[in-house]
Amino acid sequence: MWRSIGFDGSAGAARAAAGLFLLAGVLAVLGVAQPHSRGGDLLVVAVADFCIAAAAWWAPWRRLHPRATVALALAGLVVLAFSTWAFGGTAAGTGPFFVLLFAWVGLHHPPWIAYALSPLTAAAYIAPLIATHQPPEVVGSAVVFVPVVTAVAVLIAGRVRQWRRAQDEVAAAERWRASLMLTLAHDVRSPLTAVQGALELLDEDAGLPPEHRARLTAAALRQVARIARLASGLLDVGRVEDGRLKLDLRPVLVRAAVADAVLLTPQADAVVDVEPGLTVVADPDRLEQMLVNLIGNAMRHGAAPICVSASASGGTTTIAVRDHGPGVPPDAVSALFSRYGGGAAPHSVGLGLWIVRELARAHDGDLTYEPAHPGACFVISLPARP
């Protein structure tokens, strides 16, 4: 979607136009004082410019269609046509204003507006020249002039679009960074609290039964491993972007990997439907990371039961994680796997769907989304390997 820069959309474009027409009107008034000037015509031009400037400034643009400000360009072309005719077909004085008008169009409107205005611009430029009986070579200058002013608008529009895209990426990166800080605060603090509690129990009660002591130690080690995986996930972001991610591929029992991921996801209520002997060739740590992310994502945004299933067919192994919540809104599907759109959020357990998809692609596979009715289903597809 194209967005105008300035104060706020069409209102910002209109105020910029008001300044442009105000400048044109002031220059016309100054021209009246010049010797041999056509004062009456210049006053008409000045009054027209001031009226357009006032309309641009005071009109309720926020309540109008976003492209309503194109009417200001049409009014400007009418004034420029009159100016060219009034001065005997001399386009040299109005040429810069054609360029300024199209620069404004490029700043505040998409390129197709400039293309649409081109025929009207040609008419506003050529008609006064013909009406004042200018020689063919002067009239023919429109062949160069009109494409040039159109190109000015298109080039400016392109640069504005790039600037807006860069601005959006910076804003998204900042939101992602802030969310990541919250994620780190939660995902590091929770396991550290569990480790601290286990260590305090072990320190305070030397008479704990061996089996109880072993359970506390195992729980603490799981939480330490969770922190290590989070740190590894953070490093993976840089490795993926730099193309330095290395995989330790080996046969992995899918059911065991899913069971471990469920165990590592706090409070996960998951139903596992995986054949015991199903094997996939993958990096065990990366596969676990993908599953923990998807199960955690289903917990946060979906509803129980969370179902994890897997199957092999046609040389591809698929692992599906489905919840029974509201699903993903249709207008949000396109941003699910974007660099920041699926990024970390408060109380998350990973780095979002983007990193899961990139890890799947590093295995020559992919991550896809399927509506589940009800719920959402994310499917990891991994190729069969010898």
Side-chain angles (χ1 to χ4, degrees):
M1 180 181 293
W2 187 266
R3 290 172 293 172
S4 297
I5 63 173
F7 294 91
D8 57 340
S10 58
R15 293 196 174 191
L20 178 61
F21 283 102
L22 180 63
L23 172 65
V26 169
L27 292 176
V29 170
L30 294 176
V32 173
Q34 300 298 319
H36 310 296
S37 67
R38 300 179 61 169
D41 292 332
L42 283 172
L43 285 176
V44 171
V45 171
V47 170
D49 285 332
F50 289 144
C51 289
I52 297 172
W57 188 268
W58 296 109
W61 299 106
R62 294 183 182 85
R63 297 200 296 268
L64 301 177
H65 190 276
R67 297 286 169 253
T69 53
V70 175
L72 298 173
L74 298 176
L77 290 176
V78 172
V79 174
L80 288 170
F82 172 79
S83 300
T84 305
W85 169 81
F87 292 96
T90 303
T94 56
F97 290 98
F98 276 101
V99 175
L100 285 174
L101 183 64
F102 267 72
W104 172 82
V105 170
L107 278 172
H108 299 282
H109 297 88
W112 68 266
I113 295 290
Y115 290 122
L117 288 174
S118 294
L120 298 176
T121 303
Y125 184 80
I126 295 173
L129 301 180
I130 295 175
T132 53
H133 310 290
Q134 298 301 311
E137 58 270 19
V138 175
V139 176
S141 66
V143 175
V144 174
F145 182 74
V146 175
V148 166
V149 295
T150 303
V152 167
V154 171
L155 289 173
I156 291 176
R159 296 299 296 175
V160 169
R161 176 173 293 177
Q162 292 176 4
W163 181 82
R164 291 297 306 190
R165 186 180 298 117
Q167 186 184 53
D168 290 343
E169 289 176 356
V170 169
E174 179 58 27
R175 290 193 300 271
W176 186 83
R177 184 199 63 79
S179 296
L180 184 57
M181 293 302 102
L182 292 174
T183 297
L184 291 173
H186 178 271
D187 286 359
V188 172
R189 181 179 58 200
S190 296
L192 282 179
T193 301
V195 171
Q196 181 182 4
L199 292 176
E200 288 175 349
L201 283 174
L202 292 171
D203 181 60
E204 293 172 0
D205 192 346
L208 283 174
E211 61 274 12
H212 193 182
R213 184 179 296 272
R215 285 197 300 270
L216 285 174
T217 302
L221 290 174
R222 283 198 302 271
Q223 297 302 327
V224 171
R226 181 181 171 192
I227 296 174
R229 283 191 302 275
L230 177 61
S232 178
L234 291 170
L235 292 173
D236 282 344
V237 174
R239 292 177 182 138
V240 166
E241 291 180 331
D242 296 340
R244 296 182 292 105
L245 183 67
K246 297 184 183 300
L247 300 178
D248 179 17
L249 298 177
R250 65 180 75 171
V252 180
L253 286 171
V254 177
R255 185 179 180 88
V258 171
D260 288 343
V262 172
L263 185 63
L264 293 167
T265 308
Q267 301 176 342
D269 179 15
V271 177
V272 179
D273 181 19
V274 182
E275 292 294 330
L278 182 61
T279 303
V280 65
V281 177
D283 184 312
D285 293 335
R286 304 293 185 245
L287 179 59
E288 181 183 273
Q289 184 179 350
M290 288 188 280
L291 291 170
V292 168
N293 268 276
L294 293 182
I295 295 170
N297 189 68
M299 289 175 54
R300 290 191 306 278
H301 304 294
I306 297 166
C307 303
V308 185
S309 59
S311 63
S313 176
T316 300
T317 299
T318 59
I319 305 173
V321 179
R322 177 195 172 177
D323 66 74
H324 288 72
V328 179
D331 59 350
V333 171
S334 61
L336 276 176
F337 305 110
S338 66
R339 175 65 176 82
Y340 304 112
H347 311 305
S348 71
V349 295
L351 296 174
L353 297 173
W354 175 82
I355 191 66
V356 177
R357 187 184 65 172
E358 294 304 314
L359 290 174
R361 289 180 173 179
H363 285 77
D364 296 325
D366 205 354
L367 174 69
T368 56
Y369 163 75
E370 299 175 0
H373 306 297
C377 182
F378 291 90
V379 181
I380 301 171
S381 301
L382 300 176
R385 299 177 186 270

